[in-house]
Amino acid sequence: TLWVAFLTFSTITMGSAVGVKKTRSDEETNAKWAVTCSAITFAATCLVVLFHLSPMLSVYIVNTRLEGIVALILAAFWAATVSVVSNASNGLAVNSDLENTIVNGNLYYFSWAGFVTSIMLVVAYLRGVFGVDLAGEIKNRAARLTLWSALLACQLVVMGASANVFDKNCASLSGTTPYCKRTKYGIALGAIGTLFSLAVVGMKMVTTIAPFVVEGALSLGLC
């Protein structure tokens, strides 16, 4: 199921990337990279899906070292694709001239969906072959550790994205415009949330518990 979903996301991303490439010059390296990476992913995923669907060929790919290598390589490719597509300065899916507005939703959202799916494929392979159940280990480690870890990841994204926007659009300004003030607020909120969630995750990982009062106080502080 994950491979079929990955094939769907890579197909949509490839089509959107080709559409963007047609509007750019031949020397546009970033557009070429998006098309090339999505095309390679599409071709590799098609082969894997065909192998999975064939009873005779499935033994050569399902839970084998080859499947793990392919999933890992595609995850690396997709991470690079997301970084190129999401960079507003490249102008592929996000336009920096329009206050970092998403101008190509299919390319932006489905590239992120493909990246998440590629990580899920790697995790599923590790769980199926080596018995490494990352989700189960985190869940059994301490109560609400998964939620705090997800909050930590979200806060890092908020802080990094806000800092990137501030550097690109507010570095040359006085920083007193409403847009720059909101960007500063995003940086501050992301930094505070990162520190709070990192503290709770650290306590839960080291001692398997965190005082309920501390969790409650930090949660209220973030609210």
Side-chain angles (χ1 to χ4, degrees), residues 13 16-25 28-35 80-96 101-108 111:
T13 303
S16 301
V18 170
V20 173
K21 178 64 177 64
K22 291 180 179 180
T23 63
R24 303 299 181 91
S25 62
E28 183 62 50
T29 305
N30 295 316
K32 286 183 178 179
W33 169 257
V35 173
T81 300
V82 166
S83 64
V84 171
V85 169
S86 302
N87 193 339
S89 61
N90 296 330
L92 298 180
V94 183
N95 194 333
S96 58
T101 302
I102 298 175
V103 294
N104 193 323
N106 284 342
L107 182 59
Y108 183 85
S111 63

PDB file of all heavy atoms in Angstrom, residues 13 16-25 28-35 80-96 101-108 111:
ATOM      1  N   THR A  13       3.958  14.630  -8.576  1.00  0.00           N
ATOM      2  CA  THR A  13       5.094  15.547  -8.444  1.00  0.00           C
ATOM      3  C   THR A  13       5.844  15.679  -9.762  1.00  0.00           C
ATOM      4  O   THR A  13       6.243  16.776 -10.155  1.00  0.00           O
ATOM      5  CB  THR A  13       6.049  15.048  -7.345  1.00  0.00           C
ATOM      6  OG1 THR A  13       5.337  14.925  -6.112  1.00  0.00           O
ATOM      7  CG2 THR A  13       7.210  16.004  -7.161  1.00  0.00           C
ATOM      8  N   SER A  16       3.844  17.842 -12.168  1.00  0.00           N
ATOM      9  CA  SER A  16       3.906  19.256 -11.794  1.00  0.00           C
ATOM     10  C   SER A  16       5.280  19.844 -12.080  1.00  0.00           C
ATOM     11  O   SER A  16       5.396  20.988 -12.538  1.00  0.00           O
ATOM     12  CB  SER A  16       3.576  19.410 -10.300  1.00  0.00           C
ATOM     13  OG  SER A  16       2.288  18.902 -10.008  1.00  0.00           O
ATOM     14  N   ALA A  17       6.329  19.058 -11.811  1.00  0.00           N
ATOM     15  CA  ALA A  17       7.683  19.533 -12.070  1.00  0.00           C
ATOM     16  C   ALA A  17       7.928  19.750 -13.560  1.00  0.00           C
ATOM     17  O   ALA A  17       8.588  20.721 -13.963  1.00  0.00           O
ATOM     18  CB  ALA A  17       8.703  18.543 -11.506  1.00  0.00           C
ATOM     19  N   VAL A  18       7.386  18.856 -14.379  1.00  0.00           N
ATOM     20  CA  VAL A  18       7.518  19.021 -15.834  1.00  0.00           C
ATOM     21  C   VAL A  18       6.804  20.291 -16.287  1.00  0.00           C
ATOM     22  O   VAL A  18       7.304  21.045 -17.137  1.00  0.00           O
ATOM     23  CB  VAL A  18       6.958  17.789 -16.565  1.00  0.00           C
ATOM     24  CG1 VAL A  18       6.868  18.054 -18.059  1.00  0.00           C
ATOM     25  CG2 VAL A  18       7.838  16.578 -16.305  1.00  0.00           C
ATOM     26  N   GLY A  19       5.627  20.544 -15.702  1.00  0.00           N
ATOM     27  CA  GLY A  19       4.905  21.764 -16.048  1.00  0.00           C
ATOM     28  C   GLY A  19       5.680  23.022 -15.679  1.00  0.00           C
ATOM     29  O   GLY A  19       5.686  24.000 -16.445  1.00  0.00           O
ATOM     30  N   VAL A  20       6.343  22.998 -14.524  1.00  0.00           N
ATOM     31  CA  VAL A  20       7.153  24.151 -14.116  1.00  0.00           C
ATOM     32  C   VAL A  20       8.367  24.294 -15.021  1.00  0.00           C
ATOM     33  O   VAL A  20       8.758  25.400 -15.398  1.00  0.00           O
ATOM     34  CB  VAL A  20       7.582  24.006 -12.644  1.00  0.00           C
ATOM     35  CG1 VAL A  20       8.563  25.109 -12.263  1.00  0.00           C
ATOM     36  CG2 VAL A  20       6.367  24.047 -11.732  1.00  0.00           C
ATOM     37  N   LYS A  21       8.974  23.151 -15.391  1.00  0.00           N
ATOM     38  CA  LYS A  21      10.174  23.180 -16.227  1.00  0.00           C
ATOM     39  C   LYS A  21       9.885  23.800 -17.584  1.00  0.00           C
ATOM     40  O   LYS A  21      10.748  24.496 -18.164  1.00  0.00           O
ATOM     41  CB  LYS A  21      10.696  21.746 -16.415  1.00  0.00           C
ATOM     42  CG  LYS A  21      11.918  21.632 -17.312  1.00  0.00           C
ATOM     43  CD  LYS A  21      13.113  22.346 -16.701  1.00  0.00           C
ATOM     44  CE  LYS A  21      14.345  22.169 -17.577  1.00  0.00           C
ATOM     45  NZ  LYS A  21      14.201  22.800 -18.905  1.00  0.00           N
ATOM     46  N   LYS A  22       8.687  23.609 -18.114  1.00  0.00           N
ATOM     47  CA  LYS A  22       8.355  24.164 -19.429  1.00  0.00           C
ATOM     48  C   LYS A  22       8.311  25.683 -19.417  1.00  0.00           C
ATOM     49  O   LYS A  22       8.460  26.315 -20.471  1.00  0.00           O
ATOM     50  CB  LYS A  22       7.007  23.613 -19.895  1.00  0.00           C
ATOM     51  CG  LYS A  22       7.036  22.132 -20.237  1.00  0.00           C
ATOM     52  CD  LYS A  22       5.664  21.648 -20.688  1.00  0.00           C
ATOM     53  CE  LYS A  22       5.691  20.176 -21.064  1.00  0.00           C
ATOM     54  NZ  LYS A  22       4.368  19.680 -21.500  1.00  0.00           N
ATOM     55  N   THR A  23       8.100  26.258 -18.244  1.00  0.00           N
ATOM     56  CA  THR A  23       8.041  27.718 -18.145  1.00  0.00           C
ATOM     57  C   THR A  23       9.389  28.330 -17.814  1.00  0.00           C
ATOM     58  O   THR A  23       9.485  29.550 -17.707  1.00  0.00           O
ATOM     59  CB  THR A  23       7.025  28.131 -17.066  1.00  0.00           C
ATOM     60  OG1 THR A  23       7.473  27.649 -15.787  1.00  0.00           O
ATOM     61  CG2 THR A  23       5.658  27.550 -17.369  1.00  0.00           C
ATOM     62  N   ARG A  24      10.417  27.490 -17.647  1.00  0.00           N
ATOM     63  CA  ARG A  24      11.744  27.977 -17.293  1.00  0.00           C
ATOM     64  C   ARG A  24      12.701  27.801 -18.457  1.00  0.00           C
ATOM     65  O   ARG A  24      12.434  27.091 -19.433  1.00  0.00           O
ATOM     66  CB  ARG A  24      12.284  27.236 -16.060  1.00  0.00           C
ATOM     67  CG  ARG A  24      11.396  27.337 -14.835  1.00  0.00           C
ATOM     68  CD  ARG A  24      11.228  28.785 -14.395  1.00  0.00           C
ATOM     69  NE  ARG A  24      10.404  28.896 -13.208  1.00  0.00           N
ATOM     70  CZ  ARG A  24      10.876  28.889 -11.974  1.00  0.00           C
ATOM     71  NH1 ARG A  24      12.179  28.774 -11.773  1.00  0.00           N
ATOM     72  NH2 ARG A  24      10.054  29.011 -10.952  1.00  0.00           N
ATOM     73  N   SER A  25      13.849  28.439 -18.327  1.00  0.00           N
ATOM     74  CA  SER A  25      14.884  28.305 -19.346  1.00  0.00           C
ATOM     75  C   SER A  25      15.568  26.950 -19.209  1.00  0.00           C
ATOM     76  O   SER A  25      15.489  26.283 -18.174  1.00  0.00           O
ATOM     77  CB  SER A  25      15.918  29.422 -19.202  1.00  0.00           C
ATOM     78  OG  SER A  25      16.566  29.353 -17.937  1.00  0.00           O
ATOM     79  N   GLU A  28      17.917  26.273 -16.172  1.00  0.00           N
ATOM     80  CA  GLU A  28      17.381  26.257 -14.822  1.00  0.00           C
ATOM     81  C   GLU A  28      17.700  24.922 -14.166  1.00  0.00           C
ATOM     82  O   GLU A  28      17.061  23.902 -14.414  1.00  0.00           O
ATOM     83  CB  GLU A  28      15.866  26.478 -14.851  1.00  0.00           C
ATOM     84  CG  GLU A  28      15.221  26.548 -13.478  1.00  0.00           C
ATOM     85  CD  GLU A  28      15.741  27.704 -12.650  1.00  0.00           C
ATOM     86  OE1 GLU A  28      15.763  28.841 -13.158  1.00  0.00           O
ATOM     87  OE2 GLU A  28      16.140  27.451 -11.503  1.00  0.00           O
ATOM     88  N   THR A  29      18.740  24.919 -13.292  1.00  0.00           N
ATOM     89  CA  THR A  29      19.210  23.677 -12.683  1.00  0.00           C
ATOM     90  C   THR A  29      18.209  23.112 -11.689  1.00  0.00           C
ATOM     91  O   THR A  29      18.012  21.883 -11.626  1.00  0.00           O
ATOM     92  CB  THR A  29      20.556  23.921 -11.974  1.00  0.00           C
ATOM     93  OG1 THR A  29      21.480  24.486 -12.899  1.00  0.00           O
ATOM     94  CG2 THR A  29      21.119  22.615 -11.436  1.00  0.00           C
ATOM     95  N   ASN A  30      17.582  23.970 -10.910  1.00  0.00           N
ATOM     96  CA  ASN A  30      16.668  23.493  -9.878  1.00  0.00           C
ATOM     97  C   ASN A  30      15.458  22.783 -10.479  1.00  0.00           C
ATOM     98  O   ASN A  30      15.026  21.745  -9.984  1.00  0.00           O
ATOM     99  CB  ASN A  30      16.201  24.667  -9.011  1.00  0.00           C
ATOM    100  CG  ASN A  30      17.338  25.287  -8.232  1.00  0.00           C
ATOM    101  OD1 ASN A  30      18.162  24.581  -7.662  1.00  0.00           O
ATOM    102  ND2 ASN A  30      17.397  26.615  -8.199  1.00  0.00           N
ATOM    103  N   ALA A  31      14.909  23.346 -11.550  1.00  0.00           N
ATOM    104  CA  ALA A  31      13.779  22.701 -12.222  1.00  0.00           C
ATOM    105  C   ALA A  31      14.198  21.364 -12.825  1.00  0.00           C
ATOM    106  O   ALA A  31      13.445  20.375 -12.765  1.00  0.00           O
ATOM    107  CB  ALA A  31      13.210  23.619 -13.298  1.00  0.00           C
ATOM    108  N   LYS A  32      15.396  21.316 -13.392  1.00  0.00           N
ATOM    109  CA  LYS A  32      15.892  20.057 -13.946  1.00  0.00           C
ATOM    110  C   LYS A  32      16.031  19.004 -12.852  1.00  0.00           C
ATOM    111  O   LYS A  32      15.700  17.832 -13.052  1.00  0.00           O
ATOM    112  CB  LYS A  32      17.252  20.276 -14.619  1.00  0.00           C
ATOM    113  CG  LYS A  32      17.190  20.990 -15.953  1.00  0.00           C
ATOM    114  CD  LYS A  32      18.578  21.094 -16.562  1.00  0.00           C
ATOM    115  CE  LYS A  32      18.541  21.761 -17.919  1.00  0.00           C
ATOM    116  NZ  LYS A  32      19.903  21.873 -18.508  1.00  0.00           N
ATOM    117  N   TRP A  33      16.542  19.430 -11.684  1.00  0.00           N
ATOM    118  CA  TRP A  33      16.710  18.485 -10.589  1.00  0.00           C
ATOM    119  C   TRP A  33      15.364  17.934 -10.125  1.00  0.00           C
ATOM    120  O   TRP A  33      15.238  16.731  -9.882  1.00  0.00           O
ATOM    121  CB  TRP A  33      17.434  19.159  -9.429  1.00  0.00           C
ATOM    122  CG  TRP A  33      17.418  18.324  -8.175  1.00  0.00           C
ATOM    123  CD1 TRP A  33      16.634  18.492  -7.069  1.00  0.00           C
ATOM    124  CD2 TRP A  33      18.197  17.156  -7.921  1.00  0.00           C
ATOM    125  NE1 TRP A  33      16.881  17.520  -6.139  1.00  0.00           N
ATOM    126  CE2 TRP A  33      17.831  16.681  -6.640  1.00  0.00           C
ATOM    127  CE3 TRP A  33      19.153  16.465  -8.659  1.00  0.00           C
ATOM    128  CZ2 TRP A  33      18.416  15.550  -6.079  1.00  0.00           C
ATOM    129  CZ3 TRP A  33      19.733  15.326  -8.095  1.00  0.00           C
ATOM    130  CH2 TRP A  33      19.365  14.891  -6.830  1.00  0.00           C
ATOM    131  N   ALA A  34      14.366  18.783 -10.004  1.00  0.00           N
ATOM    132  CA  ALA A  34      13.044  18.335  -9.568  1.00  0.00           C
ATOM    133  C   ALA A  34      12.456  17.325 -10.550  1.00  0.00           C
ATOM    134  O   ALA A  34      11.891  16.301 -10.147  1.00  0.00           O
ATOM    135  CB  ALA A  34      12.105  19.528  -9.408  1.00  0.00           C
ATOM    136  N   VAL A  35      12.609  17.590 -11.857  1.00  0.00           N
ATOM    137  CA  VAL A  35      12.084  16.678 -12.866  1.00  0.00           C
ATOM    138  C   VAL A  35      12.862  15.364 -12.855  1.00  0.00           C
ATOM    139  O   VAL A  35      12.277  14.269 -12.878  1.00  0.00           O
ATOM    140  CB  VAL A  35      12.154  17.320 -14.267  1.00  0.00           C
ATOM    141  CG1 VAL A  35      11.780  16.306 -15.341  1.00  0.00           C
ATOM    142  CG2 VAL A  35      11.230  18.523 -14.338  1.00  0.00           C
ATOM    143  N   ALA A  80      16.199  15.673  -0.829  1.00  0.00           N
ATOM    144  CA  ALA A  80      16.813  16.724  -1.638  1.00  0.00           C
ATOM    145  C   ALA A  80      15.772  17.432  -2.493  1.00  0.00           C
ATOM    146  O   ALA A  80      15.815  18.658  -2.668  1.00  0.00           O
ATOM    147  CB  ALA A  80      17.907  16.127  -2.518  1.00  0.00           C
ATOM    148  N   THR A  81      14.803  16.679  -3.017  1.00  0.00           N
ATOM    149  CA  THR A  81      13.756  17.284  -3.844  1.00  0.00           C
ATOM    150  C   THR A  81      12.907  18.250  -3.042  1.00  0.00           C
ATOM    151  O   THR A  81      12.594  19.360  -3.496  1.00  0.00           O
ATOM    152  CB  THR A  81      12.860  16.181  -4.434  1.00  0.00           C
ATOM    153  OG1 THR A  81      13.653  15.307  -5.228  1.00  0.00           O
ATOM    154  CG2 THR A  81      11.764  16.783  -5.297  1.00  0.00           C
ATOM    155  N   VAL A  82      12.521  17.856  -1.822  1.00  0.00           N
ATOM    156  CA  VAL A  82      11.707  18.725  -0.974  1.00  0.00           C
ATOM    157  C   VAL A  82      12.453  20.012  -0.639  1.00  0.00           C
ATOM    158  O   VAL A  82      11.874  21.106  -0.636  1.00  0.00           O
ATOM    159  CB  VAL A  82      11.301  17.972   0.323  1.00  0.00           C
ATOM    160  CG1 VAL A  82      10.758  18.942   1.355  1.00  0.00           C
ATOM    161  CG2 VAL A  82      10.262  16.917   0.007  1.00  0.00           C
ATOM    162  N   SER A  83      13.753  19.899  -0.369  1.00  0.00           N
ATOM    163  CA  SER A  83      14.528  21.098  -0.040  1.00  0.00           C
ATOM    164  C   SER A  83      14.594  22.061  -1.215  1.00  0.00           C
ATOM    165  O   SER A  83      14.548  23.284  -1.031  1.00  0.00           O
ATOM    166  CB  SER A  83      15.942  20.705   0.398  1.00  0.00           C
ATOM    167  OG  SER A  83      16.651  20.091  -0.673  1.00  0.00           O
ATOM    168  N   VAL A  84      14.674  21.534  -2.433  1.00  0.00           N
ATOM    169  CA  VAL A  84      14.728  22.393  -3.618  1.00  0.00           C
ATOM    170  C   VAL A  84      13.361  22.996  -3.906  1.00  0.00           C
ATOM    171  O   VAL A  84      13.234  24.195  -4.185  1.00  0.00           O
ATOM    172  CB  VAL A  84      15.237  21.584  -4.831  1.00  0.00           C
ATOM    173  CG1 VAL A  84      15.096  22.399  -6.118  1.00  0.00           C
ATOM    174  CG2 VAL A  84      16.682  21.177  -4.635  1.00  0.00           C
ATOM    175  N   VAL A  85      12.328  22.168  -3.825  1.00  0.00           N
ATOM    176  CA  VAL A  85      10.976  22.634  -4.147  1.00  0.00           C
ATOM    177  C   VAL A  85      10.487  23.653  -3.127  1.00  0.00           C
ATOM    178  O   VAL A  85       9.825  24.641  -3.482  1.00  0.00           O
ATOM    179  CB  VAL A  85      10.021  21.428  -4.214  1.00  0.00           C
ATOM    180  CG1 VAL A  85       8.571  21.894  -4.269  1.00  0.00           C
ATOM    181  CG2 VAL A  85      10.331  20.571  -5.430  1.00  0.00           C
ATOM    182  N   SER A  86      10.793  23.449  -1.847  1.00  0.00           N
ATOM    183  CA  SER A  86      10.277  24.315  -0.791  1.00  0.00           C
ATOM    184  C   SER A  86      11.059  25.617  -0.645  1.00  0.00           C
ATOM    185  O   SER A  86      10.597  26.524   0.054  1.00  0.00           O
ATOM    186  CB  SER A  86      10.283  23.567   0.550  1.00  0.00           C
ATOM    187  OG  SER A  86       9.521  22.386   0.476  1.00  0.00           O
ATOM    188  N   ASN A  87      12.216  25.699  -1.261  1.00  0.00           N
ATOM    189  CA  ASN A  87      13.033  26.909  -1.165  1.00  0.00           C
ATOM    190  C   ASN A  87      12.407  28.022  -2.013  1.00  0.00           C
ATOM    191  O   ASN A  87      12.311  27.906  -3.230  1.00  0.00           O
ATOM    192  CB  ASN A  87      14.456  26.619  -1.628  1.00  0.00           C
ATOM    193  CG  ASN A  87      15.415  27.730  -1.245  1.00  0.00           C
ATOM    194  OD1 ASN A  87      15.011  28.865  -0.990  1.00  0.00           O
ATOM    195  ND2 ASN A  87      16.694  27.416  -1.194  1.00  0.00           N
ATOM    196  N   ALA A  88      11.980  29.088  -1.337  1.00  0.00           N
ATOM    197  CA  ALA A  88      11.296  30.172  -2.042  1.00  0.00           C
ATOM    198  C   ALA A  88      12.188  30.864  -3.058  1.00  0.00           C
ATOM    199  O   ALA A  88      11.713  31.390  -4.063  1.00  0.00           O
ATOM    200  CB  ALA A  88      10.753  31.191  -1.037  1.00  0.00           C
ATOM    201  N   SER A  89      13.494  30.867  -2.796  1.00  0.00           N
ATOM    202  CA  SER A  89      14.406  31.553  -3.723  1.00  0.00           C
ATOM    203  C   SER A  89      14.487  30.849  -5.075  1.00  0.00           C
ATOM    204  O   SER A  89      14.881  31.463  -6.066  1.00  0.00           O
ATOM    205  CB  SER A  89      15.802  31.642  -3.100  1.00  0.00           C
ATOM    206  OG  SER A  89      16.330  30.348  -2.848  1.00  0.00           O
ATOM    207  N   ASN A  90      14.143  29.564  -5.123  1.00  0.00           N
ATOM    208  CA  ASN A  90      14.159  28.836  -6.397  1.00  0.00           C
ATOM    209  C   ASN A  90      12.916  29.123  -7.231  1.00  0.00           C
ATOM    210  O   ASN A  90      12.942  28.956  -8.446  1.00  0.00           O
ATOM    211  CB  ASN A  90      14.272  27.334  -6.143  1.00  0.00           C
ATOM    212  CG  ASN A  90      15.579  26.953  -5.486  1.00  0.00           C
ATOM    213  OD1 ASN A  90      16.597  27.606  -5.688  1.00  0.00           O
ATOM    214  ND2 ASN A  90      15.558  25.899  -4.676  1.00  0.00           N
ATOM    215  N   GLY A  91      11.814  29.498  -6.566  1.00  0.00           N
ATOM    216  CA  GLY A  91      10.605  29.871  -7.280  1.00  0.00           C
ATOM    217  C   GLY A  91       9.887  28.738  -7.974  1.00  0.00           C
ATOM    218  O   GLY A  91       9.147  28.964  -8.933  1.00  0.00           O
ATOM    219  N   LEU A  92      10.077  27.503  -7.511  1.00  0.00           N
ATOM    220  CA  LEU A  92       9.406  26.368  -8.146  1.00  0.00           C
ATOM    221  C   LEU A  92       7.974  26.210  -7.646  1.00  0.00           C
ATOM    222  O   LEU A  92       7.025  26.216  -8.424  1.00  0.00           O
ATOM    223  CB  LEU A  92      10.198  25.085  -7.897  1.00  0.00           C
ATOM    224  CG  LEU A  92      11.617  25.050  -8.482  1.00  0.00           C
ATOM    225  CD1 LEU A  92      12.282  23.733  -8.157  1.00  0.00           C
ATOM    226  CD2 LEU A  92      11.588  25.294  -9.978  1.00  0.00           C
ATOM    227  N   ALA A  93       7.830  26.029  -6.331  1.00  0.00           N
ATOM    228  CA  ALA A  93       6.491  25.883  -5.753  1.00  0.00           C
ATOM    229  C   ALA A  93       6.124  27.042  -4.846  1.00  0.00           C
ATOM    230  O   ALA A  93       4.950  27.245  -4.551  1.00  0.00           O
ATOM    231  CB  ALA A  93       6.389  24.568  -4.973  1.00  0.00           C
ATOM    232  N   VAL A  94       7.127  27.787  -4.390  1.00  0.00           N
ATOM    233  CA  VAL A  94       6.913  28.928  -3.503  1.00  0.00           C
ATOM    234  C   VAL A  94       7.566  30.139  -4.128  1.00  0.00           C
ATOM    235  O   VAL A  94       8.724  30.087  -4.559  1.00  0.00           O
ATOM    236  CB  VAL A  94       7.499  28.673  -2.097  1.00  0.00           C
ATOM    237  CG1 VAL A  94       7.194  29.845  -1.184  1.00  0.00           C
ATOM    238  CG2 VAL A  94       6.950  27.378  -1.513  1.00  0.00           C
ATOM    239  N   ASN A  95       6.830  31.253  -4.172  1.00  0.00           N
ATOM    240  CA  ASN A  95       7.317  32.475  -4.808  1.00  0.00           C
ATOM    241  C   ASN A  95       7.694  33.489  -3.740  1.00  0.00           C
ATOM    242  O   ASN A  95       6.836  33.948  -2.972  1.00  0.00           O
ATOM    243  CB  ASN A  95       6.250  33.052  -5.740  1.00  0.00           C
ATOM    244  CG  ASN A  95       6.807  34.112  -6.672  1.00  0.00           C
ATOM    245  OD1 ASN A  95       7.778  34.778  -6.352  1.00  0.00           O
ATOM    246  ND2 ASN A  95       6.185  34.251  -7.837  1.00  0.00           N
ATOM    247  N   SER A  96       8.977  33.835  -3.684  1.00  0.00           N
ATOM    248  CA  SER A  96       9.442  34.795  -2.683  1.00  0.00           C
ATOM    249  C   SER A  96       8.965  36.213  -2.993  1.00  0.00           C
ATOM    250  O   SER A  96       8.886  37.051  -2.085  1.00  0.00           O
ATOM    251  CB  SER A  96      10.978  34.773  -2.616  1.00  0.00           C
ATOM    252  OG  SER A  96      11.542  35.083  -3.883  1.00  0.00           O
ATOM    253  N   THR A 101       4.370  32.951  -1.026  1.00  0.00           N
ATOM    254  CA  THR A 101       3.093  32.287  -1.281  1.00  0.00           C
ATOM    255  C   THR A 101       3.312  31.019  -2.099  1.00  0.00           C
ATOM    256  O   THR A 101       4.139  30.989  -3.009  1.00  0.00           O
ATOM    257  CB  THR A 101       2.157  33.234  -2.049  1.00  0.00           C
ATOM    258  OG1 THR A 101       1.973  34.426  -1.292  1.00  0.00           O
ATOM    259  CG2 THR A 101       0.808  32.573  -2.291  1.00  0.00           C
ATOM    260  N   ILE A 102       2.571  29.960  -1.756  1.00  0.00           N
ATOM    261  CA  ILE A 102       2.643  28.712  -2.518  1.00  0.00           C
ATOM    262  C   ILE A 102       1.912  28.912  -3.841  1.00  0.00           C
ATOM    263  O   ILE A 102       0.707  29.162  -3.862  1.00  0.00           O
ATOM    264  CB  ILE A 102       2.019  27.552  -1.723  1.00  0.00           C
ATOM    265  CG1 ILE A 102       2.798  27.317  -0.428  1.00  0.00           C
ATOM    266  CG2 ILE A 102       1.989  26.282  -2.567  1.00  0.00           C
ATOM    267  CD1 ILE A 102       2.180  26.269   0.466  1.00  0.00           C
ATOM    268  N   VAL A 103       2.635  28.813  -4.937  1.00  0.00           N
ATOM    269  CA  VAL A 103       2.066  29.065  -6.255  1.00  0.00           C
ATOM    270  C   VAL A 103       1.801  27.770  -7.018  1.00  0.00           C
ATOM    271  O   VAL A 103       1.142  27.791  -8.058  1.00  0.00           O
ATOM    272  CB  VAL A 103       2.996  29.973  -7.083  1.00  0.00           C
ATOM    273  CG1 VAL A 103       3.082  31.363  -6.460  1.00  0.00           C
ATOM    274  CG2 VAL A 103       4.390  29.368  -7.217  1.00  0.00           C
ATOM    275  N   ASN A 104       2.339  26.666  -6.547  1.00  0.00           N
ATOM    276  CA  ASN A 104       2.097  25.368  -7.183  1.00  0.00           C
ATOM    277  C   ASN A 104       1.805  24.356  -6.080  1.00  0.00           C
ATOM    278  O   ASN A 104       2.706  23.720  -5.543  1.00  0.00           O
ATOM    279  CB  ASN A 104       3.307  24.933  -8.012  1.00  0.00           C
ATOM    280  CG  ASN A 104       2.994  23.771  -8.934  1.00  0.00           C
ATOM    281  OD1 ASN A 104       2.249  22.874  -8.582  1.00  0.00           O
ATOM    282  ND2 ASN A 104       3.562  23.794 -10.133  1.00  0.00           N
ATOM    283  N   GLY A 105       0.533  24.222  -5.747  1.00  0.00           N
ATOM    284  CA  GLY A 105       0.144  23.376  -4.624  1.00  0.00           C
ATOM    285  C   GLY A 105       0.461  21.910  -4.848  1.00  0.00           C
ATOM    286  O   GLY A 105       0.902  21.213  -3.925  1.00  0.00           O
ATOM    287  N   ASN A 106       0.247  21.411  -6.066  1.00  0.00           N
ATOM    288  CA  ASN A 106       0.524  20.003  -6.340  1.00  0.00           C
ATOM    289  C   ASN A 106       1.999  19.678  -6.129  1.00  0.00           C
ATOM    290  O   ASN A 106       2.344  18.663  -5.505  1.00  0.00           O
ATOM    291  CB  ASN A 106       0.127  19.648  -7.772  1.00  0.00           C
ATOM    292  CG  ASN A 106      -1.372  19.514  -7.929  1.00  0.00           C
ATOM    293  OD1 ASN A 106      -2.099  19.361  -6.957  1.00  0.00           O
ATOM    294  ND2 ASN A 106      -1.845  19.591  -9.164  1.00  0.00           N
ATOM    295  N   LEU A 107       2.868  20.527  -6.638  1.00  0.00           N
ATOM    296  CA  LEU A 107       4.300  20.279  -6.499  1.00  0.00           C
ATOM    297  C   LEU A 107       4.739  20.374  -5.045  1.00  0.00           C
ATOM    298  O   LEU A 107       5.531  19.556  -4.564  1.00  0.00           O
ATOM    299  CB  LEU A 107       5.080  21.280  -7.356  1.00  0.00           C
ATOM    300  CG  LEU A 107       6.607  21.132  -7.368  1.00  0.00           C
ATOM    301  CD1 LEU A 107       7.004  19.756  -7.865  1.00  0.00           C
ATOM    302  CD2 LEU A 107       7.237  22.222  -8.230  1.00  0.00           C
ATOM    303  N   TYR A 108       4.205  21.349  -4.327  1.00  0.00           N
ATOM    304  CA  TYR A 108       4.622  21.565  -2.936  1.00  0.00           C
ATOM    305  C   TYR A 108       4.100  20.466  -2.017  1.00  0.00           C
ATOM    306  O   TYR A 108       4.874  19.795  -1.337  1.00  0.00           O
ATOM    307  CB  TYR A 108       4.130  22.929  -2.458  1.00  0.00           C
ATOM    308  CG  TYR A 108       4.567  23.287  -1.058  1.00  0.00           C
ATOM    309  CD1 TYR A 108       5.809  23.869  -0.833  1.00  0.00           C
ATOM    310  CD2 TYR A 108       3.736  23.054   0.035  1.00  0.00           C
ATOM    311  CE1 TYR A 108       6.213  24.198   0.445  1.00  0.00           C
ATOM    312  CE2 TYR A 108       4.140  23.374   1.321  1.00  0.00           C
ATOM    313  CZ  TYR A 108       5.376  23.961   1.516  1.00  0.00           C
ATOM    314  OH  TYR A 108       5.776  24.277   2.796  1.00  0.00           O
ATOM    315  N   SER A 111       5.108  16.718  -3.002  1.00  0.00           N
ATOM    316  CA  SER A 111       6.518  16.414  -2.745  1.00  0.00           C
ATOM    317  C   SER A 111       6.744  16.129  -1.256  1.00  0.00           C
ATOM    318  O   SER A 111       7.479  15.204  -0.888  1.00  0.00           O
ATOM    319  CB  SER A 111       7.411  17.574  -3.206  1.00  0.00           C
ATOM    320  OG  SER A 111       7.139  18.755  -2.471  1.00  0.00           O
TER     321      SER A 111
END
